[in-house]
């Protein structure tokens, strides 16, 4: 039977660090508010690197760690809500940058759940026999769609990219996937942009920035992080006690704390790096997985759940055996 497995990881973050104190210099906020309400201490903000550049660097490292050549890649899937431009896709630019001449390439938009949607697609492509090697990337430069005068959002987000090489194998790897959307709440998290339905209408002045009903998204997130985790456990016929780590979307420490209590899963077994990067949307889960790999925390046979939620509103989870 064909399975799919993550065989290489890469990540890249811009070098420019913006601390909570730095933000407090130009917007009415404080380190104390941001830390206690979210757990975030600092984030990375790109100065001159676009999303495709972050994604490219993450992909090059992931391929190197997987010992796979770029021209062996069959598909590139980039999950992003902050692409370089409407067209072409970030994935086509990445394809060119890394020399993946035999790959097809497309972007997907499932906001902060994007990487998990990408993993689901990669898993399906591999299991159907359509592909043997798929690069799944979450990459964002949210700083360019952040309203730096809006304290409700500008303290939350950061720039980053994370990439995974997913390969056909007979070993255990991706054991269960689940994604879902609740489009009735589409209005809760938006990046409006120019009005493409009627380009002759002038865009509202701040329409190209992220706007969010934080409390609505918070309620959604605390519910679905638990639901999605339970769903993949059920699909894989496992219990929470079989799980070594949960890698959650890094939006808010309070959401992770809630999930820990509700699932009866110790907070120490959730990987958390939001204090250093903030919410990097589709990049957050692969960046966290990459850091665990770099820190030598992932052992063969470990069962790990990746879980995320975000704009759409969307959510998803994946249960993998390392
Ligand atoms: O990745 C996509 C998924 N996104 C999420 O999961 C985000 C989910 N939501 C959240 O994490 C939280 O709702 C936030 C962190 C966005 C906000 O935290 P909150 O505890 O829900 O705060 P709030 O919106 O209820 O605001 C409380 C107060 C308000 O003041 P008043 O009206 O009580 O006087 C805000 O104006 O805090 C104020 N406030 C701030 N104060 C200082 C909001 N942002 C700030 C700020 N600094 N940055």
């Amino acid at each position: 039977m064909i399975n799919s497995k993550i065989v290489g990881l890469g990540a890249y973050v811009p070098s420019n660090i913006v601390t909570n104190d730095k933000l407090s210099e130009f917007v009415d906020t404080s380190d104390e508010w941001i830390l206690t309400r979210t757990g975030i201490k600092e984030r990375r903000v790109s100065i001159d690197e676009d999303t495709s550049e972050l994604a490219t660097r993450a992909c090059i490292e992931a391929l190197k760690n997987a010992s796979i050549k770029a021209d062996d890649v069959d598909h590139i899937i980039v999950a992003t809500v902050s692409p370089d431009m409407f067209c072409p896709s970030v994935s086509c630019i990445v394809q060119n940058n890394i020399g993946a001449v035999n790959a097809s390439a497309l972007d997907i938009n499932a906001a902060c759940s994007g990487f998990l949607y990408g993993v689901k697609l990669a898993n399906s492509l591999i299991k159907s026999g359509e592909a043997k090697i798929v690069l799944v990337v979450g990459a964002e430069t949210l700083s360019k769609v952040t309203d730096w005068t809006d304290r409700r959002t500008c303290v939350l987000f950061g720039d980053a990219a994370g990439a995974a090489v997913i390969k056909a194998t007979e070993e255990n790897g991706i054991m269960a996937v689940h994604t879902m959307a609740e489009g009735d709440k589409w209005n809760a998290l938006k990046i409006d942009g120019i009005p493409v339905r009627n380009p002759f209408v002038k865009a509202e002045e701040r329409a190209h920035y992220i706007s969010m009903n934080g409390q609505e998204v918070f309620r959604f997130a605390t519910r679905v992080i638990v639901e999605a985790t339970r769903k993949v456990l059920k699909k894989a016929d496992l219990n929470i006690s079989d799980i070594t780590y949960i890698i959650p979307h890094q939006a808010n420490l309070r959401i992770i704390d809630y999930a820990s209590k509700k699932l009866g899963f110790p907070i120490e077994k959730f990987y958390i790096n939001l204090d250093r990067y903030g919410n990097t949307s589709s990049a957050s889960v692969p960046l966290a997985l990459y850091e665990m790999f770099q820190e030598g925390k992932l052992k063969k046979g470990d069962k790990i759940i990746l879980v995320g939620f975000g704009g759409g509103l969307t959510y998803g989870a994946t249960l993998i055996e390392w």
Side-chain angles (χ1 to χ4, degrees):
M1 182 174 136
I2 309 177
N3 284 328
S4 66
K5 192 176 180 81
I6 295 175
V7 293
L9 292 162
Y12 180 75
V13 293
S15 57
N16 178 37
I17 297 173
V18 177
T19 61
N20 291 347
D21 284 336
K22 185 77 195 162
L23 281 178
S24 314
E25 287 174 16
F26 58 87
V27 68
D28 181 16
T29 190
S30 64
D31 178 50
E32 200 262 332
W33 191 97
I34 302 169
L35 200 52
T36 51
R37 297 286 180 131
T38 71
I40 299 166
K41 293 180 182 158
E42 58 188 40
R43 71 284 297 139
R44 303 298 177 104
V45 174
S46 168
I47 292 172
D48 52 10
E49 293 163 311
D50 215 333
T51 299
S52 63
E53 195 160 342
L54 272 54
T56 298
R57 288 173 182 261
C59 286
I60 290 170
E61 188 181 10
L63 287 170
K64 186 165 170 257
N65 285 335
S67 301
I68 283 174
K69 298 201 301 298
D71 56 8
D72 286 331
V73 174
D74 299 312
H75 281 267
I76 302 170
I77 299 169
V78 175
T80 186
V81 291
S82 49
D84 301 17
M85 49 193 124
F86 281 134
C87 182
S89 62
V90 172
S91 48
C92 282
I93 302 171
V94 169
Q95 183 210 14
N96 180 54
N97 289 349
I98 66 175
V101 289
N102 297 311
S104 62
L106 89 166
D107 286 6
I108 57 169
N109 175 343
C112 307
S113 320
F115 179 77
L116 296 157
Y117 271 66
V119 169
K120 181 174 177 175
L121 294 178
N123 185 49
S124 302
L125 285 167
I126 289 171
K127 288 202 163 152
S128 69
E130 191 63 39
K132 288 198 167 54
I133 297 172
V134 184
L135 249 178
V136 181
V137 193
E140 306 285 1
T141 44
L142 294 171
S143 56
K144 69 190 174 199
V145 288
T146 295
D147 181 348
W148 292 102
T149 67
D150 178 8
R151 69 176 184 175
R152 292 166 305 168
T153 52
C154 77
V155 302
L156 304 175
F157 300 104
D159 299 340
V165 181
I166 304 186
K167 190 179 172 202
T169 172
E170 287 183 359
E171 289 175 47
N172 276 346
I174 294 170
M175 297 178 70
V177 286
H178 176 64
T179 56
M180 194 47 66
E182 294 184 9
D184 59 320
K185 291 179 267 300
W186 66 270
N187 216 12
L189 209 179
K190 289 188 298 183
I191 310 171
D192 255 355
I194 57 166
V196 286
R197 281 168 296 184
N198 183 354
F200 304 106
V201 173
K202 197 169 175 292
E204 280 176 41
E205 204 185 331
R206 313 197 85 76
H208 57 295
Y209 294 131
I210 301 170
S211 64
M212 180 170 70
N213 179 336
Q215 291 185 2
E216 185 176 358
V217 179
F218 191 94
R219 279 192 299 277
F220 167 80
T222 46
R223 172 170 58 85
V224 299
I225 191 172
V226 174
E227 276 177 23
T229 300
R230 288 186 175 147
K231 191 83 180 180
V232 286
L233 281 170
K234 192 159 181 233
K235 280 190 176 181
D237 201 17
L238 292 172
N239 296 312
I240 194 78
S241 54
D242 298 315
I243 301 303
T244 321
Y245 293 108
I246 294 181
I247 304 181
H249 172 45
Q250 308 283 316
N252 190 322
L253 191 54
R254 285 155 54 211
I255 295 172
I256 300 171
D257 204 36
Y258 175 91
S260 162
K261 293 193 174 85
K262 196 81 183 166
L263 290 164
F265 193 71
I267 192 81
E268 307 78 54
K269 291 178 151 200
F270 282 82
Y271 189 78
I272 295 163
N273 64 7
L274 61 84
D275 51 325
R276 286 176 288 130
Y277 303 116
N279 178 347
T280 59
S281 190
S282 66
S284 94
V285 169
L287 174 61
L289 185 61
Y290 167 83
E291 288 204 326
M292 290 190 75
F293 167 71
Q294 288 292 99
E295 291 164 16
K297 288 199 161 80
L298 304 178
K299 304 274 178 295
K300 192 167 169 55
D302 281 354
K303 308 246 179 354
I304 300 161
I305 291 176
L306 317 177
V307 57
F309 46 83
L313 297 177
T314 56
Y315 64 97
T318 301
L319 197 158
I320 59 175
E321 180 173 318
W322 192 253

